[in-house]
Amino acid sequence: MSAFRDLYVVKDLRASRVNLMMNDFAAGLPSPLSFLGLADLLVRNLGLAPWSARVLPILHRVDISEGRSKPEMENKSGIFEPIETMEDLVGSVQVSLLLHLPGCENESTLRAQLQGRRIAGGLIQNDRIDVQEVTADGSAFRGMKRGFAMLRPEQAERRYITSGDTTPEQPGLAQLASLLFPAERPEGFGWIVPAAVGYRLLEDPLTVPARIRTRSKEIPHVFAEPVAGIAELVSVRNKRLTGLSNAALGALMWTWEARGDLVLGHPDYHPVFPIILRSLSRMAKSASPLSLETGMLAFARSVQITEGLFYATISGKPEIQTPIEILEKGVRGQTSQDNAKEKAGLSNPQSVEYAIVPQGHDGVRLRFSARFMPLSLRPHACNNTDVGAAYERLARAYQVRGGYSTLALLYIWNIANARFAWRNRFQSDAMTVKVESDAGALVFDPVRLSLDKPATRDEMLGALVQGGSAELNVLIAGVAEGLSNDQQAAFGIKVEWNASMEPAQEVFPSQEYVRDEKADKQLSRVFAKLPTFYAGRELGQASMHSQKIGAALRHIDIWHGSEAHDAPIAVNPYGGVQETSAVLRDQKSKRSFYDLRAKAEALILGLEAPTLDGEISGDAHFVMANLIRGGVFGASGKKAEANG
């Protein structure tokens, strides 16, 4: 999401007789849609673009009256009996609002527009309304009285929506209730509550007949039914809010978005498939067979990593970092390879490059940065529109099911455990990994984390030496959002590995592969280095290839199923393991990327299951991890030829 301005905080609004009956399925709090309706009214009255407003309500206090009931008749075994149903539920509310009104540049004009307005039918009673323009990031929550921001849920599986029990086979309300009140409550981020999140149109606005006594002659009047979902209440003191970046704050705010027959208050609630199961059946019958294969297909890399740079450090003086220089030395070894023949055991003098911790230093620092980008949502190049659309559908379904959050946790695990330091990780028994982002700074002890068994959130929390659960959750959510957002917004992190090492102890940068025509015949080992200017001279600073760091981060293929290799491997189409030359996903296994993507319908429809409580298959995780890795995936064969 691009950076935005024109953000205002409206503090401590008080309103009475506010309607707390959100819709047919949710009650007890003011609807988030009521605040969004107020924001849209403001932009229209200010002459700004309709539907452009965004709002984030912060509830400070809600006092509920007893409400009012009315008699209804219910059919019980063929006999109608009277029952009492709730007709309305009102109360008084104290609330603050974060309002993004693109183009509004005047606090006083906005203040005047708020006078005499209503929140869910309740008149705003403030004699003077406090409006302030604020910076569009987590600092906007500073100075607010205690309260809870009403957000769309952080966990994708909690963004389930329903228009009621549409068929006996699809009890939507029961599914919603199971998410709100599970038998065993999983780890969560906030207080989840039922909420009105939008509407499902029962008529087509383009063909609906004109109706009399409507509010606008220009806007079609259509009948709709309410859509219920889940909202999450998070304290304004929580670092998950106060640490938000500009883009992350914008992504949390409520804003209208219409897709198909759904008009919802936040884009993240939109499902990949229609809510009604029969709509999915119609789509499956009418659509052409799904295919993910075509002759020209490429995905851009979604995780962009810088070259890593090595520095020498001094205990107690973290501000000092001296570039570690690549040096040369001559060594006299013995010829020891098999089949050495007449040279066996004879001297084998050679010149090699090396790197060590310089005198006066007792530590090593490896630094790099990474950007997580949403480039797996659609192909970078594709010569078939149907295949391109199928990949978009696959990625969207994976996003809705929370798959990107699973991958984000695995990527962060491989950062926290310092796998990216490779051989250097075993050169020290005391080390830390520092991760800086818009979420703040986290420091992990890599020794507490396994390299062979993926860490859970709790295990990663146990490895923290700086930071807590809130910051960790924001970091993981930031990576997931960076990989999957619709605004092409990247999520960036800075990583720093610090380890205690002795002066003159060897450091292992990447080793260069040098082609024969460029080889220095005097050097039998060449290390990666980048030119830098330090202490009045230019030197070659030891570096780690971005590809080698990337290979460490994508050691997340835990779904390969090999009994011979009981550990994660780097994600690649055929599951190759460089250390052993094993290929765990070869053609015989039928589990390569190309074998799995040939089963397009199984992959896509498996993710588009109407109930969102099932596990995502390892095959789907593996395919999406390859798309994040990026590459050229053009197919050969009859199906690819048919698709272009």
Side-chain angles (χ1 to χ4, degrees), residues 221-243:
H221 183 284
V222 299
F223 288 99
E225 61 184 5
V227 174
I230 295 174
E232 188 173 354
L233 302 179
V234 176
S235 169
V236 295
R237 302 288 193 271
N238 194 315
K239 289 186 178 179
R240 179 180 158 199
L241 296 182
T242 59

Side-chain angles (χ1 to χ4, degrees), residues 58 71 81 167 192 293 310 411 454 457 473 576:
I58 297 94
E81 296 182 2
T167 67
I192 57 174
E293 297 174 282
F310 285 93
Y411 289 131
R457 285 178 188 258
N473 288 335

Side-chain angles (χ1 to χ4, degrees), residues 469-526:
S469 178
E471 293 89 346
L472 178 60
N473 288 335
V474 172
L475 176 62
I476 296 169
V479 171
E481 178 74 10
L483 292 171
S484 63
N485 71 87
D486 294 319
Q487 293 77 34
Q488 298 297 307
F491 181 80
I493 61 172
K494 296 179 180 179
V495 180
E496 185 177 284
W497 175 73
N498 287 283
S500 297
M501 293 175 69
E502 296 296 324
Q505 188 172 347
E506 194 166 5
V507 176
F508 298 98
S510 289
Q511 190 167 335
E512 298 283 16
Y513 169 73
V514 183
R515 292 178 301 195
D516 289 342
E517 62 269 21
K518 292 188 176 182
D520 183 342
K521 303 302 182 183
Q522 304 302 315
L523 289 173
S524 59
R525 184 177 70 185
V526 179

Side-chain angles (χ1 to χ4, degrees), residues 535-609:
R537 67 185 181 93
E538 186 175 287
L539 54 86
Q541 184 176 0
S543 68
M544 186 76 81
H545 287 157
S546 59
Q547 291 86 350
K548 192 165 185 176
I549 297 173
L553 267 58
R554 69 171 193 272
H555 259 69
I556 63 171
D557 185 359
I558 57 177
W559 315 283
H560 54 73
S562 172
E563 295 180 359
H565 190 96
D566 188 21
I569 64 172
V571 167
N572 61 73
Y574 290 110
V577 184
Q578 288 191 340
E579 293 83 359
T580 63
S581 296
V583 181
L584 306 186
R585 293 179 176 270
D586 58 13
Q587 293 181 343
K588 293 180 180 179
S589 73
K590 300 297 183 184
R591 303 201 64 221
S592 74
F593 169 81
Y594 300 103
D595 290 312
L596 296 176
R597 70 102 173 259
K599 305 171 184 177
E601 292 205 6
L603 279 173
I604 296 173
L605 298 182
L607 286 169
E608 290 181 348

